[in-house]
């Protein structure tokens, strides 16, 4: 290399950097149905309400390459009394969908919704996804019905997941089921 007029060596020209296109992936249509959704008895007595008015929230993991067992164990450890307010910030999860509220039923069928593969699992069918179901209240805070951690692959294969809530009284902490009614690429 020849020196520049300023005394520093001249550098070879550098090719411009071209960014690779981002692949969004296909969109999928989901429709979920809840069955036997029930709140802890303490919530029913304290708030003196009848049938629940459930809505659901779907979360994607912020690290799609973390093993699913990490999220399942973490969910079990952290689901305590402080899990009573919708919207608690958890750095491991980001909400990708919130459904409409279906009033006065324990067996709601939520409207179909569309999410891209990138949104739900960053293209990794084995990445963790979390489903939470809440009982809607207009004036006071929503009641936590239950949640589960699964993968898109498991949800598609099993078509049904069990919601758990550690605050439930009794032998089992099951608070209902969420069934995948419709799942199709659009």
């Amino acid at each position: 290399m020849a020196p520049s007029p300023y005394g520093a060596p001249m550098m070879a020209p550098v090719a411009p950097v071209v960014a690779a296109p981002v692949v969004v992936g296909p969109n999928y249509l989901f429709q979920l149905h809840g069955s036997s959704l029930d709140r802890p008895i303490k919530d029913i007595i304290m708030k003196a309400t009848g049938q629940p008015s459930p809505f659901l929230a779907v979360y994607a993991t912020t690290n799609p390459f973390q093993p699913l067992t990490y999220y399942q164990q973490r969910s079990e450890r952290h689901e305590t009394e402080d899990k009573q307010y919708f919207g608690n910030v958890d750095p491991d999860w980001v909400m990708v969908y919130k459904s409409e509220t279906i009033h006065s039923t324990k067996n709601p069928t939520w409207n179909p919704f569309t999410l891209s593969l990138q949104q739900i699992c960053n293209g990794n069918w084995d990445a963790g996804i979390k489903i939470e179901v809440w009982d809607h209240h207009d004036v006071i805070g929503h009641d936590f019905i239950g949640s589960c951690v699964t993968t898109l692959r498991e949800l598609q294969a099993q078509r049904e997941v069990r919601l758990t809530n550690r605050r439930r009284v009794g032998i089992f902490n099951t608070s209902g089921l969420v069934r995948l009614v419709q799942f199709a690429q659009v």
Side-chain angles (χ1 to χ4, degrees):
M1 284 188 197
S4 74
Y6 303 106
M10 290 185 61
M11 301 298 289
V14 178
V17 176
V18 178
V22 175
V23 178
V24 175
N27 289 332
Y28 286 88
L29 179 72
F30 295 83
Q31 185 173 22
L32 300 172
H33 169 78
S35 62
S36 303
L37 300 179
D38 203 10
R39 298 160 290 175
I41 192 73
K42 182 175 93 175
D43 291 342
I44 295 169
I45 292 170
M46 286 176 56
K47 297 184 179 170
T49 58
Q51 294 277 19
S53 296
F55 68 91
L56 68 85
V58 178
Y59 296 84
T61 176
T62 55
N63 183 358
F65 303 106
Q66 186 80 332
L68 181 63
T69 53
Y70 167 81
Y71 293 110
Q72 289 169 331
Q73 291 167 355
R74 192 175 190 302
S75 176
E76 289 170 8
R77 279 198 314 269
H78 291 242
E79 194 175 285
T80 58
E81 283 295 320
D82 62 348
K83 184 64 174 177
Q84 57 189 340
Y85 300 107
F86 177 70
N88 279 1
V89 178
D90 186 342
D92 289 332
W93 300 101
V94 60
M95 187 187 306
V96 293
Y97 176 75
K98 180 184 176 288
S99 77
E100 74 284 2
T101 300
I102 307 293
H103 294 282
S104 301
T105 182
K106 290 185 176 189
N107 303 303
T109 299
W110 290 282
N111 290 334
F113 59 95
T114 303
L115 292 173
S116 73
L117 198 58
Q118 187 72 23
Q119 285 175 297
I120 191 80
C121 61
N122 203 22
N124 179 1
W125 283 67
D126 295 315
I129 58 174
K130 180 167 66 168
I131 299 171
E132 289 183 348
V133 178
W134 293 80
D135 181 16
H136 175 80
H137 292 288
D138 288 325
V139 179
I140 53 179
H142 305 308
D143 291 330
F144 179 64
I145 292 177
S147 69
C148 70
V149 175
T150 187
T151 67
L152 193 55
R153 188 180 312 278
E154 285 178 357
L155 187 61
Q156 182 190 19
Q158 295 175 353
R159 308 298 272 195
E160 189 173 82
V161 290
R162 181 175 66 106
L163 299 174
T164 59
N165 184 341
R166 290 197 166 283
R167 296 185 328 147
R168 287 186 55 82
V169 176
I171 298 172
F172 301 108
N173 60 2
T174 299
S175 55
L177 300 170
V178 172
R179 191 171 317 121
L180 184 62
V181 176
Q182 189 175 12
F183 179 73
Q185 186 174 344
V186 290

